[in-house]
Amino acid sequence: VLTGIVGPNRFNLLVGLPLLVVAALYARQGMTGGPARRGSTFPIGTYSLGGPIQGITGLSEFSPQEYALMPKLFEGETSYDAPPVMFLGRLWGMSLGTVNGRIYKTALYLLLRSEFEANNVAMAARQFCIEKLGKPTEQKTGQSIWDTTDGNVILETGKTAEGFAVGLYETSSAVKTFKRQGGPPVGR
């Protein structure tokens, strides 16, 4: 196995070594198989799913342009831009989705110019989620999803015109009980 990594080209080691380190960490932590642990979503700063927004300062309701990009889905829904939140040693942008004054969605996001830096941030966020929630329920390129006891957590990465985006989203399972704008509750 190492001959393929070391090989005739010295740069193979630079590419292969991080893969071996990640594989060793997964093996050490028992992440190579077995059932996924299902934890609950975690607080982001002072925000928790199901928590009230009453008394939270610094929130700014979405502008008409923001609502045009992310329209309201539920009766009683209001979305907010929140002050940046310190998470994993960085300041992240933060948005909240609420229904009837309670948080049902948190959205952390970063936009970085360097793909290398974005990958490092995404790997740190993924590792944080694995430590809190166990192995992802689903994963594909650029996205990991954890089903939790109270909703789900989604980590997404992608390239944009401005750089490289990393997003971490939590959604409450309470959305199943919300009434859609002009329709029945989602769960029915």
Side-chain angles (χ1 to χ4, degrees):
V1 170
L2 286 179
T3 58
I5 292 172
V6 176
N9 187 332
R10 64 183 175 180
F11 296 109
N12 289 357
L13 185 60
L14 292 174
V15 173
L17 189 58
L19 296 175
L20 283 178
V21 170
V22 170
L25 286 172
Y26 281 154
R28 191 183 88 188
Q29 294 178 3
M31 299 296 169
T32 56
R37 182 173 79 238
R38 278 181 46 128
S40 62
T41 57
F42 39 83
I44 304 287
T46 59
Y47 310 110
S48 295
L49 295 183
I53 60 161
Q54 184 178 8
I56 296 176
T57 59
L59 298 180
S60 171
E61 185 174 353
F62 273 18
S63 68
Q65 295 82 1
E66 289 171 304
Y67 276 128
L69 293 172
M70 294 174 280
K72 295 179 182 184
L73 299 175
F74 308 111
E75 289 186 7
E77 181 175 5
T78 307
S79 295
Y80 297 94
D81 291 314
V85 173
M86 185 63 74
F87 182 70
L88 299 176
R90 292 178 173 270
L91 272 179
W92 295 61
M94 182 77 180
S95 294
L96 302 173
T98 69
V99 169
N100 300 323
R102 294 205 149 321
I103 299 168
Y104 83 89
K105 184 176 219 45
T106 63
L108 280 173
Y109 51 90
L110 279 176
L111 185 60
L112 302 161
R113 290 191 177 154
S114 161
E115 183 176 15
F116 178 79
E117 188 178 13
N119 285 337
N120 284 339
V121 169
M123 286 179 64
R126 188 175 192 282
Q127 185 59 37
F128 176 88
C129 290
I130 287 171
E131 289 171 8
K132 295 285 186 188
L133 307 171
K135 194 168 100 173
T137 310
E138 298 175 45
Q139 36 187 2
K140 59 184 175 182
T141 302
Q143 185 182 66
S144 296
I145 300 172
W146 290 264
D147 289 331
T148 66
T149 57
D150 59 345
N152 70 25
V153 176
I154 299 174
L155 174 65
E156 288 185 320
T157 60
K159 188 170 179 3
T160 71
E162 295 83 27
F164 300 90
V166 180
L168 184 64
Y169 314 103
E170 294 183 304
T171 306
S172 171
S173 58
V175 297
K176 296 175 187 170
T177 66
F178 296 162
K179 187 172 183 191
R180 284 200 177 272
Q181 298 257 7
V186 176
R188 293 190 185 161

